[in-house]
Amino acid sequence: MNGPCLELVVFKVKDAEKARIARRAAQDTVKHYDGFLSRTAYESCEEKNLFADVVLWKDLKTAKEAAEKVMKDPAFAAIVAEIDGLVSLSHYAADRVVEADAKAA
């Protein structure tokens, strides 16, 4: 896979409030990682302890290198400690982009 790589991580947390604080504290760290493009943090509308992170990387190689770095980076220790289970961690290449018409939005 060449080109941008979307990383989707869905995980359960022990305590949503503690996890939210820990995740926010760690978020600025990742922007200094090689290949980082953007990150959006989500929380489930239906399950209070279900979180999702959507991260865009330069390519699959830098995404995988960053995943290894996160596990060793002290800035992520608090959020890693709050994780109660990994639901999914996957990498995706874009097939097609469709955007809303300005009039429709």
Side-chain angles (χ1 to χ4, degrees), residues 3-38:
C5 175
L6 182 131
E7 178 178 77
L8 174 61
V9 185
V10 181
F11 56 100
K12 293 185 178 192
V13 296
K14 298 170 189 167
D15 180 294
E17 185 59 30
K18 286 181 185 176
R20 184 178 304 112
I21 292 165
R23 182 167 67 170
R24 287 178 181 168
Q27 283 177 334
D28 285 337
T29 300
V30 75
K31 70 182 175 183
H32 301 290
Y33 282 23
D34 288 339
F36 174 81
L37 299 176
S38 68

Side-chain angles (χ1 to χ4, degrees), residues 29-94:
T29 300
V30 75
K31 70 182 175 183
H32 301 290
Y33 282 23
D34 288 339
F36 174 81
L37 299 176
S38 68
R39 178 181 183 144
T40 305
Y42 290 93
E43 295 182 29
S44 173
C45 297
E46 290 103 12
E47 270 186 73
K48 75 173 190 168
N49 288 15
L50 188 62
F51 284 22
D53 286 344
V54 177
V55 188
L56 190 60
W57 297 99
K58 179 180 89 173
D59 53 32
L60 180 59
K61 180 179 181 279
T62 56
K64 288 187 174 189
E65 288 170 351
E68 290 180 25
K69 189 174 180 180
V70 162
M71 297 311 292
K72 299 174 188 171
D73 192 330
F76 286 89
I79 185 59
V80 169
E82 283 301 318
I83 294 175
D84 194 29
L86 186 63
V87 175
S88 174
L89 188 156
S90 301
H91 296 97
Y92 301 88

